[in-house]
Amino acid sequence: MENKELINDINNNVNEYIRNIKENIDEKKALVITHGCQMNEHDSEKITWLLEKMGYDFVNEVEDADLIILNTCSVRHSAEDKVYGQLGNLKNLKSKKKNIKVAVCGCMMQREESRNYVIEKFPNVDIIFGTNNIWKLPELLKSSYDGKKLAMDIEDNPLSIDDALGANRLYNFKSYVNIMYGCNNFCSYCIVPYTRGRETSRRPHEIIREIEELAKNGTKEVTLLGQNVNSYGKTFDDKFSLANLLEEINAINGIERIRFMTSHPKDISDELIYSFKNLDKLCNFLHLPVQAGSSRVLKMMNRKYTKEDYLRKIDKVKNVNPNIALSTDIMVGFPGESEEDFLDTLDLVKKVEYDTAFTFIYSMRENTPAARMDQVPDKVKHERFERLLDILYPIQERKNKAFIGRDVDVLVEDFSKKDESNVSGRTDEFKLINFKGNKSDIGKILKVKVKDANSFSLVGEKIES
Ligand code: 5AD
Ligand code: SF4
């Protein structure tokens, strides 16, 4: 059977389960709790899309929910511990409110060890599904309502099935779009290649079709997602790269901003770097995880570039587009990291001058090569972490303050968290900015004058047009 026919067939099947739940189950209040990265956030949007089709309403408190879904992350130990804590609390809730259903999905369920631990320690879990089986949720719910003790599916199903699902996007004006799945890099500290499997790229025409549809429905900004988007297309027989894909998306009417993440420094090509000059819709923002500044540590991490290679790429990016804002992921306390290695990280941070950074303390993940290396004591890791922030924050503040007095374009996303008479949004450079505004501003791209700034955000004033 053709792939398309197969998907149609499966969709009919899914629709049958959806109808069944919609018609036969009365108590339908759901809460989806998402841990981890944008990939998970987007998966949760697919989950809520399915739930809405089944007639579920959404609540914010576990006590009000009839169905609780935990979409989990495995990247760090603390993320897993958080899920175990939540499952422990739900155990108590379930002893009071018998008919609630608890489902667990995401990266943790792709790992046999974590999955078995959940099954053994938390018999209150009713449903388990993997990262490629979101479309199975209606069927699993049905078997659970029919009395199955644990309804589970973590088989490696063809990815295109989940791609065929819609997504209940949090904002219709900005959307995540998956362009590839999995990772082939096997960085020695990372669990992702074991949970999300090998790299596979989605075909360009499918991606373009999805984005055209999104644009018709009001999406102005798309963020292309993948663990290593720079190797997009490498699995195709014909030559088609991320730069080619960006060019096609740049031509779509209605799309005004394009972002992508995450990149790998070893795979970022000159062709892609030049896209930051040639494509008017590609935002002035690049997230390029460095992880560490010491070439010795980078080698132990299996990152396949040196400190000098990385700095050369950054120089090239800055030369091609002097307005680009730079972001990164940095890890401290990787096994064997010496004081000298750590000083290399601080040196790199000072040289690059990041606009923003995600900072992590190395967390040992079982069965990864780094778990077998000599670990750095916790105290040293924490102390280095603080020293890293002491260097990063003043740089961020200086870079943000350089925006004071400038007029920037802001995609307004929501009311400000702290003050409802303010709205907040992102500049082209992905800087968070707050300013006086109202509901009608949300979803628009507005001109704003920057009045003030600190390490984490800007404050502005709307320019009346
Ligand atoms: N410990 C700490 N941080 C990690 N990351 C990935 N694996 C680990 C780990 N074992 C970080 C990396 C990656 C980001 C998504 O998470 O910096 O880029
Ligand atoms: Fe993990 Fe490295 Fe792959 Fe990123 S590139 S997902 S850090 S293995």
Side-chain angles (χ1 to χ4, degrees), residues 75-76 189-190 289 291 329-331 360-363 365:
V75 168
R76 278 168 295 278
Y189 50 81
C190 187
Q291 312 300 356
D329 292 344
I330 310 176
M331 196 187 297
F360 305 102
I361 293 176
Y362 166 76
S363 162
R365 307 312 291 127

